C-alpha cells in the first residue's frame, strides 16, 4: 500500500477555484419536494467561520445512491446527490435538496458531510441524520457508538422551513467528526 | 505580533514529537488553526452506503479547455509557462479514472485574483488561476499553467508562503475526498511555513512536492512538473470497482 498524500487547508481564496453557479442547489429551490438543509459553522470561541466550504453527498429520496454527472453544470432536472456551499459572513451555509431515503430497510437516512475551512489543516467528515425515525436512529451503528451527550450533534432538527445542522469545529458541544478504518492511522 | 523567529521556534518544538502521515490539525504555529480544529478524538466507523461511492462527474461538467489556464483571456499571461501532470491513484495502486480534479493558484507575481488578496503585487489581466479536468482511464490529469509566485500572508511578521497550487481531488469513495497543495522542488520558504510544516513527518511532507521532469519540458514553450497524487485505500471490495462513465 502506498502512502497517501497529506491534506492541506483549503485556504482563504477557495472561492476562486471551488465556487460555481448553483453549486448548493441539488434540486431547484422551487422543486415541490425541496428542503432547505442549513446551519452555522462556528469555532471554539463560538464565533462564526465565514470562510468554510461544506459539501454534502446523499442518496435520493428512495434511498438510491445515484451515479449521475451534472453537479457542476446543473440542468435543473437531474439529481446528482452532491453539492457544495460556502459559508456567508455570519458562518451560515444552505443547500436546496431533497431528503435522502434509507439505503436499506430500517437504516437511518443521513447526508454525508465534508467540512473544509481556512485554519483547518485537513478536511473533516461527519454525518447529518434525518431526525424522524426514532427506531432507526436508536439502531444506527454510529449513533450507538457515540455517547448520548454528543449524539445530538449528528442529528438535524426541523426548523426554519428546513433541516438545521450546525457544525461546531471545537468547544463544549463540538460536532462528532468521523474517521474510517483505512484513514484511522492517517492522523498523528 | 509574533516574528518569524518565534514561529521558527514553535515549528522546531513541534518537530520533536513524532508525526503521522497527515498534517497535525492542532498546530499552533498556524495561528488560524487554534480555534478551528476538533479536540475530541475522531469517531471510528465503517463507511456505509453513500460513503462507499463518490460523486460522478463527466464531460458535461468539464470542458477540455478548462485544463489550460493560459488561454482563458485574450492575451498571454506573464510568467514561467509550465505543465503539471501526474496520476491519481488509490492506496492500493488502482487508478482513479474519470474523476474531477480542481486547481486554483496565485499568478506569477504571487497575487490571487480575489478581492481579499491585498498583497500589492500586480494582477495579471490575462490570468485567473483556476482550472478543472477529469482524469483519464489511467488516472492521468494534466494542466497547462503559469508557475505561481510566493506571497506574504498575515500569520506573523514576515510570513511568506512557498509557491503552491491548490488541488481538490475526489477518489472512488467519498471517504477519499482530499484538498491539498502541490509545492515546487527546492523552495527556500519550506522551513519557514507553518502550513507546510504542519506535516511533521518529513517523508510525508515530501509527497506534496512535484518533481521537475525534463521530458515534460518542451522546446521554446514550457517547463514541466510531475506530481502523482495517492489517496487513501478504497473501502470497497475490488469486485465493486467499476469504470464509471466509461
Amino acid at each position: 500500500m502506498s502512502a497517501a498524500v497529506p491534506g492541506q487547508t483549503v485556504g482563504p481564496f477557495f472561492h476562486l477555484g471551488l465556487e460555481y453557479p448553483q453549486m448548493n442547489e441539488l434540486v431547484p429551490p422551487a422543486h415541490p419536494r425541496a428542503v432547505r438543509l442549513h446551519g452555522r459553522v462556528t469555532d471554539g470561541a463560538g464565533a462564526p467561520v465565514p470562510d468554510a466550504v461544506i459539501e454534502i453527498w446523499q442518496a435520493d429520496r428512495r434511498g438510491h445512491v445515484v451515479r449521475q454527472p451534472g453537479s457542476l453544470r446543473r440542468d435543473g432536472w437531474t439529481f446528482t446527490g452532491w453539492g457544495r456551499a460556502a459559508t456567508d459572513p455570519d458562518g451560515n451555509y444552505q443547500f436546496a435538496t431533497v431528503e435522502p431515503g434509507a439505503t436499506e430497510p430500517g437504516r437511518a437516512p443521513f447526508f454525508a458531510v465534508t467540512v473544509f475551512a481556512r485554519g483547518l489543516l485537513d478536511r473533516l467528515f461527519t454525518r447529518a441524520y434525518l431526525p424522524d425515525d426514532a427506531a432507526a436512529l436508536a439502531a444506527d451503528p454510529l449513533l450507538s457508538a457515540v455517547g448520548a451527550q454528543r449524539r445530538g450533534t449528528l442529528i438535524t432538527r426541523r426548523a426554519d422551513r428546513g433541516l438545521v445542522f450546525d457544525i461546531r469545529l471545537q468547544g463544549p458541544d463540538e460536532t462528532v467528526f468521523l474517521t474510517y478504518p483505512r484513514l484511522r492511522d492517517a492522523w498523528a | 505580533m509574533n516574528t518569524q523567529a518565534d514561529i521558527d521556534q514553535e515549528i522546531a518544538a513541534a518537530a520533536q514529537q513524532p508525526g503521522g502521515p497527515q498534517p497535525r490539525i492542532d498546530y499552533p504555529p498556524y495561528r488560524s488553526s487554534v480555534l478551528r480544529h476538533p479536540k475530541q478524538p475522531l469517531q471510528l466507523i465503517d463507511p456505509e452506503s453513500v460513503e462507499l461511492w463518490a460523486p460522478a462527474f463527466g464531460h458535461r461538467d468539464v470542458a477540455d479547455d478548462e485544463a489550460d489556464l493560459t488561454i482563458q483571456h485574450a492575451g498571454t499571461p506573464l510568467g514561467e509557462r509550465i505543465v503539471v501532470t501526474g496520476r491519481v491513484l488509490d492506496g492500493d495502486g488502482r487508478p482513479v479514472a474519470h474523476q474531477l480534479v480542481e486547481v486554483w493558484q496565485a499568478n506569477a507575481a504571487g497575487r490571487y485574483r480575489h478581492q481579499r488578496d491585498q498583497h500589492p503585487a500586480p494582477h495579471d489581466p490575462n490570468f485567473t488561476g483556476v482550472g478543472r479536468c477529469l482524469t483519464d482511464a489511467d488516472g492521468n490529469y494534466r494542466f497547462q499553467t503559469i508557475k505561481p509566485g510566493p506571497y506574504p500572508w498575515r500569520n506573523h511578521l514576515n510570513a511568506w508562503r512557498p509557491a503552491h497550487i491548490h488541488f481538490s481531488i475526489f477518489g472512488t469513495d467519498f471517504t477519499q475526498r482530499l484538498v491539498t497543495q502541490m509545492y515546487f522542488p527546492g523552495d527556500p520558504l519550506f522551513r519557514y511555513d507553518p502550513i507546510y510544516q504542519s506535516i511533521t513527518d518529513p517523508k510525508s511532507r515530501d509527497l506534496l512536492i512535484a518533481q521537475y521532469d525534463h521530458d515534460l519540458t518542451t522546446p521554446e514553450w514550457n517547463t514541466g512538473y510531475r506530481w502523482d497524487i495517492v489517496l487513501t485505500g478504497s473501502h470497497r471490495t475490488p469486485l465493486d470497482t467499476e469504470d464509471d462513465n466509461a
Side-chain angles (χ1 to χ4, degrees), chain B residues 41-55:
Chain B
L42 300 176
Q43 179 67 46
L44 178 68
I45 192 75
D46 283 322
E48 60 176 280
S49 63
V50 295
E51 291 158 323
L52 292 169
W53 297 91

Side-chain angles (χ1 to χ4, degrees), chain A residues 101-117:
Chain A
T103 52
E104 290 168 49
R107 296 312 294 262
F110 64 86
F111 301 92
V113 179
T114 328
V115 183
F116 307 87

Side-chain angles (χ1 to χ4, degrees), chain A residues 113-129:
Chain A
V113 179
T114 328
V115 183
F116 307 87
R118 181 180 67 86
L120 184 59
L121 280 155
D122 201 2
R123 45 80 195 108
L124 298 171
F125 294 108
T126 187
R127 291 180 186 172
Y129 285 88

Side-chain angles (χ1 to χ4, degrees), chain A residues 13 16, chain B residues 111-119 123:
Chain A
F13 302 132
L16 193 62
Chain B
R111 186 150 185 191
Y112 285 89
R113 185 172 280 213
H114 191 287
Q115 198 181 359
R116 287 209 300 261
D117 184 356
Q118 293 298 319
H119 170 38
H123 281 299

